[in-house]
């Protein structure tokens, strides 16, 4: 399959928009011209920084560590499959099915896989070890769908503590909508507990990009979009409870708040400007009737109490007990969990109380890194307790360790790679999705992770223990 270049992810500004921007920067007096020159200077510097980062991003994804050889995926390792219908009259068509005959609810499509919409191609590409393959050309089409396709329905998603909507497209695809709640440069209030924090739309988008840069590919694609609150939500919703929460603010902005456990009230309403609203749209996973998921309670779950501590915070030998407990006592589950811990520490996500896996694959599969809206809340402070599992267990897969070391090098600096990757999101033309302090924090936290692994290696070398889970053969081929 052809490889998708980095540039194909970027949705460019139209010529008309560029002309309007240029006309808006032309002013008559010299002070404005000086200010405009300064702004253009900063813009040129930012553009050059992004262009440099894009070349680093392309080099990173072409590096051997991101192109490890892997055998063809056997059919049993695919989450879903397309198979011919049984009826002789329909032998020229195919049907999308799951592996449970008693729940066999198919949707007919053309036998030509090229006719499948991007969301269906994404679903059919999910395997035992990843949500999508490296440099998947279908991602470009999926980005376009989430960012530009017409929204035909918007209803509130049941469950959860904060406002979320399910948006539907004409090709039957769906996306999870999370609205903008905070400005880019705002930090989480230090007096708030982690379980009282807002969910941020840019955190969901940034988490997808970071997960991809780390080589995990365990977060569904999340894209930024400027949504019209009236035309694309209020006018198309069939959810009467949601519709009743719309109102116009004193300054003429259209607002709504929905129904949920927290922050769903007129005091915490989501408002357009006056109708435009930034949001993240994440592609939905296959319906649970087709692909059941199992929810696992994290062994390092926080107490979610203002006064109590969790067991892992008080027991010095806590990890030893976890290692003897299924499913952490065999296979790759423990190092898969450490991958998630590293992701959460880098983006300062303290809200990982559960994780999910696809039931079909049993205990031998990857972990889904879902619900990342509370990440990237603070850049000025790191939360060392997130790394407790790595510090206590001292176990990490070699491929992860090597990629982290690669991202610490100047030519692949994580902050540069992340800035470039996020610049390809449609909302980047409104404003960078992460402020520079958040990007700087990524480099600082990456250094902490590598120092933690080094400390583990020194500590365990005395007792003969192993820190590195060896999942990469012929290491010299990838680090030379």
């Amino acid at each position: 399959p052809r490889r998708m270049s980095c540039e194909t992810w970027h949705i460019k500004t139209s010529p008309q928009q560029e002309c309007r921007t240029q006309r808006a920067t032309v002013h008559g007096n010299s002070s404005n011209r000086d200010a405009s020159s300064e702004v253009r200077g900063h813009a040129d510097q930012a553009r050059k920084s992004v262009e440099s980062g894009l070349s680093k991003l392309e080099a990173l994804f072409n590096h051997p560590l991101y192109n490890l050889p892997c055998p063809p995926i056997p059919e049993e390792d695919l989450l879903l499959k397309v198979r011919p219908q049984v009826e002789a009259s329909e032998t020229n068509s195919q049907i999308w099915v799951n592996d449970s005959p008693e729940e066999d609810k198919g949707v007919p499509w053309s036998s030509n896989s090229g006719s499948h919409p991007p969301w269906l191609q994404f679903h059919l590409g999910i395997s035992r070890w990843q949500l999508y393959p490296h440099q998947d050309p279908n991602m470009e089409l999926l980005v376009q769908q989430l960012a530009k396709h017409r929204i035909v329905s918007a209803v509130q998603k049941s469950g959860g503590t904060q406002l979320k909507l399910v948006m539907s497209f004409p090709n039957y695809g769906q996306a999870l909508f999370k609205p903008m709640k905070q400005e880019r440069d705002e930090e989480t209030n230090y007096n708030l507990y982690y379980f009282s924090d807002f969910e941020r739309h840019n955190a969901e988008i940034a988490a997808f990009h970071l997960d991809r840069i780390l080589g995990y590919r365990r977060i569904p694609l999340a894209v930024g979009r400027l949504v019209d609150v009236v035309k694309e939500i209020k006018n198309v919703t069939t959810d009467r409870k949601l519709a009743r929460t719309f109102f116009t603010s004193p300054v003429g902005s259209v607002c709504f708040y929905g129904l949920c456990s927290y922050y769903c009230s007129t005091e915490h309403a989501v408002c357009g400007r006056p109708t435009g609203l930034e949001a993240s749209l994440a592609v939905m996973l296959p319906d649970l009737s087709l692909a059941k998921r199992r929810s696992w309670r994290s062994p390092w779950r926080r107490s979610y109490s203002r006064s109590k501590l969790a067991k892992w915070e008080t027991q010095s030998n806590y990890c030893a007990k976890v290692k003897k407990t299924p499913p952490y006592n065999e296979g790759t589950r423990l190092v898969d969990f450490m991958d998630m811990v590293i992701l959460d520490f880098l983006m300062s996500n303290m809200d990982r109380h559960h994780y999910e896996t696809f039931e079909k694959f049993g205990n031998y599969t990857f972990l889904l890194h879902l619900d990342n809206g509370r990440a990237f809340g603070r850049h000025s402070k790191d939360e060392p307790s997130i790394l407790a599992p790595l510090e206590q267990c001292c176990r990490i897969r070699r491929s992860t360790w090597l990629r982290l070391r690669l991202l610490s090098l100047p030519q692949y600096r994580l902050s540069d790679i992340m800035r470039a990757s996020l610049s390809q999101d449609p909302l980047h033309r409104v404003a960078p999705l992460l402020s520079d302090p958040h990007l700087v924090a990524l480099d600082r936290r990456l250094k902490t992770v590598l120092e933690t692994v080094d400390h583990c290696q020194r500590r365990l070398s005395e007792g003969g223990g192993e820190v590195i889970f060896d999942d990469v053969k012929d290491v010299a081929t990838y680090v030379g």
Side-chain angles (χ1 to χ4, degrees), residues 24-63:
T25 60
V26 176
H27 300 280
N29 60 64
S30 60
S31 61
N32 282 343
R33 282 198 298 270
D34 292 341
S36 296
S37 297
E38 185 178 353
V39 169
R40 282 196 298 271
H42 288 304
D44 288 342
Q45 186 177 357
R47 178 179 54 79
K48 290 177 182 177
S49 178
V50 167
E51 288 176 354
S52 172
L54 285 171
S55 63
K56 291 181 180 180
L57 178 63
E58 187 170 6
L60 180 78
F61 284 161
N62 287 330
H63 193 279

Side-chain angles (χ1 to χ4, degrees), residues 31 36 61 99 101 105 108 129-130 142 145 161 165 180 219 238 249 263 298-299 309 321 352 371 418 429 452 476:
S31 61
S36 296
F61 284 161
D99 270 3
K105 299 177 181 179
W129 301 115
Q130 59 187 8
L142 201 49
Q145 173 181 305
T161 59
L165 305 180
M180 181 177 186
I219 294 181
T238 55
S249 76
Y263 306 126
S298 168
L309 293 176
K321 296 178 181 178
R352 190 73 67 187
D371 294 331
M418 189 69 170
R429 62 185 175 89
T452 301

Side-chain angles (χ1 to χ4, degrees), residues 161-223:
T161 59
Q162 299 190 35
L163 177 66
K164 293 184 284 287
L165 305 180
V166 176
M167 317 296 260
S168 298
F169 302 103
N171 64 4
Y172 302 101
Q174 291 186 318
L176 184 65
F177 165 101
K178 289 190 179 182
M180 181 177 186
K181 287 286 188 71
Q182 285 184 325
E183 297 295 335
R184 304 277 205 280
D185 56 353
E186 283 188 73
E187 277 199 282
T188 298
N189 189 322
Y190 285 96
N191 293 313
L192 283 180
Y193 283 92
Y194 49 88
F195 48 81
S196 302
D197 195 8
F198 285 117
E199 290 187 351
R200 287 166 284 275
H201 74 302
N202 59 321
E204 292 286 357
I205 300 165
F208 161 75
H209 285 262
L210 181 58
D211 176 89
R212 186 171 67 113
I213 288 168
L214 294 174
Y216 295 161
R217 298 185 290 280
R218 300 166 197 168
I219 294 181
L221 171 66
V223 173

